[in-house]
Amino acid sequence: MDIRIFKNEAEIGEAVGKLYCDFINSKPDCVLGFATGATPVPTYNYIVEQYKAGKVSFKDVKTFNLDEYCDLPKTHKNSYYTFMLENLFSKVDVNLDNVGFLDGNAADPEAESARYAADIASKGGLDIQLLGIGRNGHIAFNEPSDEFSGESHKVKLTDSTIEANSIYFDDIPMPRYAMTMGIGSIMKARKIILIATGASKAQAVKDMIKGPVTPHCPASVLQEHKDAVIFLDEAAASLL
């Protein structure tokens, strides 16, 4: 693991955003994995600034996202597809035909998982996958369990996840299930970038970096990845 510590999330956003922009410029038809939530927003803001300044183009970039809620319209304000549109895709010149997403409304989750894996493989695999980390060490919607997950799959959201995210659902009940990229799929990315900010993530960060590799802390598997870069602010790194 390559551990990099910064003062705050703004500095991380610039550093990770620059890494993405430099990579896109070196490989214009690259395949990028993105994440949702508050953690990557500073990174997306930096990328948008660079696009507006004419310093990067998404014209030939292909993208895939980690997860999507089940039983929620794709166009709903709280879908992860909408999140990516609002925070990145609508603000750059990405071709929406090159945007890959799991279908949370698929009738056959196993078939959807196979489709997604095949789609990623057909594009040459993920060059970079962006991750956040949960307080319990989860990555994507891969929660602590007795074994590491493989390819994409349907998951029942934990009570803590539902409690944390329900505040955003003021019009309908929050979904109880999601489709998520599995640990096996994530680990196939050639480069992995994980961002963690805030003191609430400090224990999970310590377990990920210093603890044993165990599915009880899903992020700990990144110890075994050949090119995992961990971006931390001082608060998230406080227990290292």
Side-chain angles (χ1 to χ4, degrees), residues 98-134:
N98 289 334
V99 170
F101 251 87
L102 282 159
D103 181 1
N105 297 303
D108 186 340
E110 290 187 7
E112 173 60 9
S113 173
R115 179 201 67 80
Y116 205 54
D119 195 8
I120 293 172
S122 72
K123 303 299 191 298
L126 295 168
D127 288 306
I128 305 176
Q129 177 61 61
L130 182 62
L131 299 173
I133 184 173

Side-chain angles (χ1 to χ4, degrees), residues 19 40 54 60 81 84 94 142 151 184 198 206 209:
L19 188 154
D60 297 315
Y81 180 80
M84 290 305 302
V94 69
N142 297 285
E151 299 289 353
K206 180 182 178 182
I209 296 171

Side-chain angles (χ1 to χ4, degrees), residues 1-5 192 194 208-209 222 228-232:
M1 285 181 170
D2 178 358
I3 312 299
R4 305 181 187 182
I5 301 174
I192 292 176
L194 183 142
M208 170 180 66
I209 296 171
L222 299 184
V229 188
I230 313 300
F231 289 80
L232 308 172

Side-chain angles (χ1 to χ4, degrees), residues 50-196:
Q50 295 303 295
Y51 168 74
K52 290 180 177 178
K55 296 180 179 180
V56 70
S57 172
F58 275 72
K59 180 171 63 70
D60 297 315
V61 171
K62 293 169 282 292
T63 76
F64 291 91
N65 262 73
L66 286 171
D67 37 35
E68 182 58 282
Y69 287 118
C70 293
D71 307 313
L72 187 72
K74 182 179 180 178
T75 56
H76 189 273
K77 64 178 182 177
N78 287 326
S79 76
Y80 287 152
Y81 180 80
T82 296
F83 175 94
M84 290 305 302
L85 278 179
E86 293 180 347
N87 288 281
L88 183 62
F89 295 153
S90 68
K91 300 178 179 180
V92 297
D93 59 342
V94 69
N95 180 347
L96 292 181
D97 290 337
N98 289 334
V99 170
F101 251 87
L102 282 159
D103 181 1
N105 297 303
D108 186 340
E110 290 187 7
E112 173 60 9
S113 173
R115 179 201 67 80
Y116 205 54
D119 195 8
I120 293 172
S122 72
K123 303 299 191 298
L126 295 168
D127 288 306
I128 305 176
Q129 177 61 61
L130 182 62
L131 299 173
I133 184 173
R135 296 182 185 184
N136 61 2
H138 77 244
I139 47 179
F141 274 131
N142 297 285
E143 300 287 355
S145 66
D146 292 330
E147 59 183 16
F148 288 115
S149 57
E151 299 289 353
S152 301
H153 56 285
K154 184 176 182 178
V155 296
K156 186 178 188 300
L157 302 179
T158 63
D159 291 342
S160 61
T161 296
I162 293 171
E163 180 181 357
N165 292 355
S166 287
I167 59 172
Y168 302 111
F169 288 83
D170 55 6
D171 57 339
I172 61 172
M174 180 179 162
R176 265 38 184 175
Y177 292 86
M179 289 289 294
T180 187
M181 195 182 293
I183 298 293
S185 298
I186 291 169
M187 290 292 283
K188 290 178 182 177
R190 285 179 275 278
K191 186 182 195 75
I192 292 176
I193 296 171
L194 183 142
I195 301 172

